[in-house]
Amino acid sequence: MPATPSNVPEPSRTDPALIRNFCIIAHIDHGKSTLADRMLQLTGIVEDRQMRAQYLDRMDIERERGITIKSQAVRMPWAPAEDRKSPHVLNMIDTPGHVDFTYEVSRSLAACEGCILLVDAAQGIEAQTLANLYLAMEHDLQIIPVLNKIDLPAAQPEKFAAELAHLIGCEPEDVLKVSAKTGEGVDTLLDEVVRQVPSPVGVQEAPARAMIFDSVYDAYRGVVTYVKVVDGKLNKRERIRMMSTGATHELLEIGTNSPEMTAADGLAVGEVGYLITGVKDVRQSKVGDTVTALSKGAEEPLAGYKDPKPMVFSGLYPMDGSDYPELRDALDKLLLNDAALTYEPETSAALGFGFRVGFLGLLHLEVIRERLEREFGLDLIATAPNVIYRVVMEDGSEHVVTNPSEFPEGKVDIVHEPVVRATLIAPSEYVGAIMELCQSRRGSMQGMDYLSEDRVELRYTLPLAEIVFDFFDALKSKTRGYASLDYEPTGEQASDLVRVDILLRGDKVDAFSAIVHKEKAYAYGTRMANKLRELIPRQQFEVPIQAAVGARVIARETVRAIRKDVLAKCYGGDISRKRKLLEKQKEGKKRMKAVGSVEVPQEAFIAVLSTDDGGGDSAKKK
């Protein structure tokens, strides 16, 4: 057995030759967190009595759903089988597996020299794994292919080893086979990490440059920034500068994660660790930024930094209007933890005061909403997610639209909408169903490749608006859950889009407005009118529900009036008496109709805005 930390001395901080920085890339539920658990146990840095499943997943939502949302870095000692006397330091950087957090994944990959490509031996490679694999190849990382869950009865290691070998250009026998659950093959994998992953390259005497690959907020210590030192050295108590913002701070503490925080005097070339400066705002420690020393610092930042941009917007409103200040405070606190979150106040005539919140994608939306409800005890209504449109008017003026109610009135010349390149992987028998679905969502096919005899990869260009609705749900139901999806933004295209308004007795209800393709406007209007007819309670007067594009009504339903039987007391007598009572009732209805307004119950908003039609992968009903 390899030596434990108690009798393995730490290598000197000046010797990067013994350091190996690697990460694990895998699809959701392929066993990434479980493999990390076995590594922590095998290297001895977490004792068996302290061990728990998904050790590195700190959030309740991560543990319940079995997904990684925040990156984690951990330093592990390991003496390989070939040379037990030269202990190495393995820095493992755990990465999120979901498409929404691709930017975080790319920064984590930039902090590594190698990666473990982990694939479930019962399911094979999935779209998001493929996307992260291409990212790893772009960063020129050493890739170690690994099949996990070989202990499962349904595992097909030979078949999927051939698929993996074909994909990355190696031999099937080079694919390692492990079981993260039982620990089988994990020690061999760690030996291969030491053998195959190159040591970090950097200039020890150069000015300090460290890349931020993650930052989290600690309630007691402020922002904890995770960095990889590329050149030079960072020391405790020196002043540092963030190169994108120009902000300067004093290093109060510097150290490594093993897996708990362990303070040190400094970090040298190739080392991965954390910095604490006492800052209270994660926006000052942006992922991808370069940290340097204030005096004699570096001139050129490390490449690859960009601000993550929100892709999907949704309105968040408290059920009870008096909870608005609590919602504002809750979003402020979440922003301390998640620099990718953007929000601004907005008002809706129907829903009152709330916020327009920008998210990286649908899973991000779902996680934030669930955290707001769970951690801060709020009851929220989320409007249907939508994307950013660029509207050019005939007079040449331009409008950026993040909310259907902002869509300009007047003569529109052209509307630009964001487009994504989607990769779908599925068993070959579902190709027809996937093509049909993508064509119905205005997709255009870019190519198709067979990964093996029975698994196919399809590439489509699709409008982002079609994906954020219910595309993922439809894909899963058409392929019995076997298909996987990954997408990345590729710019924008001009489209024939219109705003559909819903009117109740001629009054617009802004919360129900949507921007849809001209061909789908009628279907959306009819569906909303039918749904509202069932949900709005009957009044003493007739309530027309109309769907309109501009001034043209395209669909109509009517909530019939509750009719009181005014003739109940007339057992007989002259017909003129009955007619007189009916006329009197008619006059009263007309008067009421003139002054009466329709109250849309809260339940109607929740039912319409939270249905599968308005949600997709993330806005599923609880």
Side-chain angles (χ1 to χ4, degrees), residues 187-199:
D187 51 351
T188 311
L189 171 58
L190 288 173
D191 288 345
E192 285 299 313
V193 167
V194 171
R195 194 174 67 79
Q196 292 190 36
V197 175
S199 54

Side-chain angles (χ1 to χ4, degrees), residues 138-203:
E138 279 171 31
H139 286 89
D140 205 19
L141 300 189
Q142 174 66 40
I143 293 156
I144 303 173
V146 180
L147 281 176
N148 188 21
K149 305 189 186 181
I150 56 167
D151 57 312
L152 289 181
Q156 297 173 280
E158 304 311 319
K159 174 186 171 186
F160 292 123
E163 193 176 292
L164 261 176
H166 166 69
L167 195 66
I168 62 173
C170 67
E171 295 301 318
E173 49 270 22
D174 295 340
V175 178
L176 299 177
K177 299 175 178 68
V178 305
S179 168
K181 188 176 178 184
T182 63
E184 182 188 341
V186 179
D187 51 351
T188 311
L189 171 58
L190 288 173
D191 288 345
E192 285 299 313
V193 167
V194 171
R195 194 174 67 79
Q196 292 190 36
V197 175
S199 54
V201 179
V203 184

Side-chain angles (χ1 to χ4, degrees), residues 79-259:
E82 296 117 42
D83 186 3
R84 295 280 188 223
K85 289 178 183 164
S86 68
H88 287 65
V89 165
L90 308 183
N91 287 313
M92 181 184 67
I93 299 169
D94 192 15
T95 59
H98 197 274
V99 59
D100 285 8
F101 308 108
T102 302
Y103 178 59
E104 268 191 37
V105 174
S106 77
R107 295 303 84 213
S108 297
L109 293 176
C112 299
E113 283 76 42
C115 78
I116 293 171
L117 174 66
L118 193 68
V119 173
D120 189 327
Q123 293 181 44
I125 204 152
E126 306 270 6
Q128 283 161 22
T129 320
L130 205 59
N132 290 343
L133 170 63
Y134 292 150
L135 269 179
M137 286 173 165
E138 279 171 31
H139 286 89
D140 205 19
L141 300 189
Q142 174 66 40
I143 293 156
I144 303 173
V146 180
L147 281 176
N148 188 21
K149 305 189 186 181
I150 56 167
D151 57 312
L152 289 181
Q156 297 173 280
E158 304 311 319
K159 174 186 171 186
F160 292 123
E163 193 176 292
L164 261 176
H166 166 69
L167 195 66
I168 62 173
C170 67
E171 295 301 318
E173 49 270 22
D174 295 340
V175 178
L176 299 177
K177 299 175 178 68
V178 305
S179 168
K181 188 176 178 184
T182 63
E184 182 188 341
V186 179
D187 51 351
T188 311
L189 171 58
L190 288 173
D191 288 345
E192 285 299 313
V193 167
V194 171
R195 194 174 67 79
Q196 292 190 36
V197 175
S199 54
V201 179
V203 184
Q204 190 74 52
E205 293 74 33
R209 287 198 304 175
M211 190 192 73
I212 300 174
F213 62 85
D214 196 20
S215 58
V216 294
Y217 179 74
D218 184 289
Y220 301 105
R221 312 172 84 178
V223 175
V224 180
T225 305
Y226 295 106
V227 297
K228 180 215 178 175
V229 179
V230 177
D231 290 325
K233 185 176 181 180
L234 288 173
N235 298 308
K236 189 179 176 183
R237 288 291 169 188
E238 76 174 317
R239 290 197 69 79
I240 57 167
R241 178 167 61 92
M242 306 293 180
M243 293 188 80
S244 78
T245 59
T248 61
H249 312 287
E250 185 187 355
L251 270 183
L252 302 179
E253 188 180 316
I254 188 167
T256 58
N257 293 62
S258 299

Side-chain angles (χ1 to χ4, degrees), residues 453-524:
E453 288 176 14
D454 54 355
R455 280 166 70 76
V456 69
E457 174 195 344
L458 295 110
R459 293 181 299 282
Y460 268 89
T461 302
L462 285 153
L464 179 61
E466 297 286 354
I467 284 186
V468 302
F469 236 45
D470 58 347
F471 182 82
F472 191 73
D473 284 352
L475 178 69
K476 285 291 183 188
S477 60
K478 281 183 183 291
T479 60
R480 298 185 188 173
Y482 283 113
S484 62
L485 165 75
D486 182 80
Y487 60 86
E488 60 177 28
T490 58
E492 54 183 26
Q493 69 180 17
S495 295
D496 199 358
L497 301 173
V498 292
R499 183 179 77 185
V500 180
D501 292 314
I502 303 297
L503 292 82
L504 297 181
R505 293 197 57 244
D507 296 330
K508 242 182 244 177
V509 183
D510 55 355
F512 295 144
S513 296
I515 298 168
V516 296
H517 193 264
K518 201 170 185 179
E519 290 173 4
K520 297 190 175 182
Y522 173 72
Y524 175 81

Side-chain angles (χ1 to χ4, degrees), residues 327-358:
L327 176 58
R328 185 183 55 225
D329 294 345
L331 282 167
D332 282 341
K333 284 175 183 165
L334 271 189
L335 191 63
L336 292 173
N337 256 319
D338 191 344
L341 192 66
T342 60
Y343 62 91
E344 57 184 36
E346 79 168 358
T347 18
S348 158
L351 298 172
F353 291 99
F355 290 92
R356 191 96 202 138
V357 189

Side-chain angles (χ1 to χ4, degrees), residues 567 570-583:
L567 305 180
C570 300
Y571 291 110
D574 188 22
I575 186 69
S576 59
R577 186 176 167 219
K578 292 183 181 178
R579 199 169 285 138
K580 191 178 171 185
L581 284 167
L582 288 169
E583 288 297 325

